Amino acid sequence: MSDIFVLIEHRQGKIRDISFELLNCGRKLAEKTNSNLTALLLGYNTENFVEKIKSQAHRILVINSEVFKDFNSESYQIALSEILKKETPFITLIGHTACGMDLCPALATQMEFPFTTDCLDVDVVENKVKVTRQMYDGKLNAKLIIRENPSYLFTLRAGNFPSEESSLKTEIINIKSSVTEPDYRKFVEYIEAVAGDVDITKSDIVIGIGRGIKEQENLSMIEEFADNIGGVVACSRPIVDADWLPKDRQVGSSGKTIKPKLYIAIGISGAFQHITGMKGAETIIAINKDPNAPIFNEADYGIVDDLFKVVPVLKEKVMELK
Ligand SMILES: Cc1cc2nc3c(=O)[nH]c(=O)nc-3n(C[C@H](O)[C@H](O)[C@H](O)COP(=O)(O)OP(=O)(O)OC[C@H]3O[C@@H](n4cnc5c(N)ncnc54)[C@H](O)[C@@H]3O)c2cc1C
């Protein structure tokens, strides 16, 4: 069987976390299929990147060119299609990120690869390629067998393959690329989102509040509770859409990814877009009046009750303990 390939994603001079998750998934697939894992690295001044991922793959194919300093799906597609035609990997994994979503549909169409997006898992069982992806807003996981083809392309959702140490002997292969500045798209500027007063990615304790809070004025109860236990308040997307909290407090696929020691989800149903952002928390407590809310599938501890009854009691207990 030919190799497993993963695309290394980087931004502003840093390798993005998803790349290490892809490498982890790729290593598992390579082991299972008795093949090698190749990391594709397109960038500029790539030495630092190579240093960070060395030992995580059997090979790193590097294109070091100013054209790849910043992500541009047009130039990436040209370069990757050239490599994929030449190398014909068995499975190529790319992050289900803004970059992956921008790049992969056109790349898969050009290559005529079977392509499945937003996979939670990719596996090879008895020579059949199987992927797991969610359906019906995360209510069920579908396991799909992909039609047979020499090569496949998948995007992988973040948060399912934690980065792991690895000590592979890595061959580094530099490739010359003829790709020049693309015709249609140009990278203009990277604009960092304005930082708010609270950075929810830095706190050990995060209280996530969702639509169950009902009214904006009820947020003060949650803020008091968060102060009480030394945490910060984050939220699901509807709370941001309602303008009750700023965008930088949103947890999830279109918000922030957080990995606190403790995440308390209050009045949050647990849509997959939210789960993606918080499933890396060490301990998850969910408070929800609906016993079937999907958030309980992720929670280590769950309280099925009205949040307006539970939060004051918790606050009181914390005060007592203090
Ligand atoms: C492209 C896209 C990107 C998205 N990105 C994100 C994202 O980054 N982050 C995100 O969060 N969402 C995101 N969403 C939205 C997501 O699909 C859900 O709609 C959203 O997460 C639901 O928020 P919620 O859980 O607060 O609300 P709901 O789904 O309405 O859930 C409210 C919950 O509160 C419970 N509840 C109600 N009253 C009480 C009470 N008194 N006591 C206890 N429990 C109570 C209910 O049982 C329910 O489970 C995205 C959607 C799309 C399409």
Side-chain angles (χ1 to χ4, degrees), residues 3 19 28 40 52 90 107 143 224 234 248 280 287 311:
D3 278 8
S19 305
K28 292 197 161 88
L40 297 167
K52 290 257 156 37
F90 177 41
L107 181 64
K143 289 190 191 293
E224 275 172 32
D248 60 5
I287 303 168
V311 174

Side-chain angles (χ1 to χ4, degrees), residues 211 214 236-237 250-251 253-254 269 273-274 288 306-307:
R211 202 153 25 194
K214 296 202 170 55
S236 63
R237 180 158 152 176
Q250 182 185 319
V251 173
S253 56
S254 55
S269 58
Q273 292 97 342
H274 188 81
N288 197 306
D306 185 337
L307 72 91

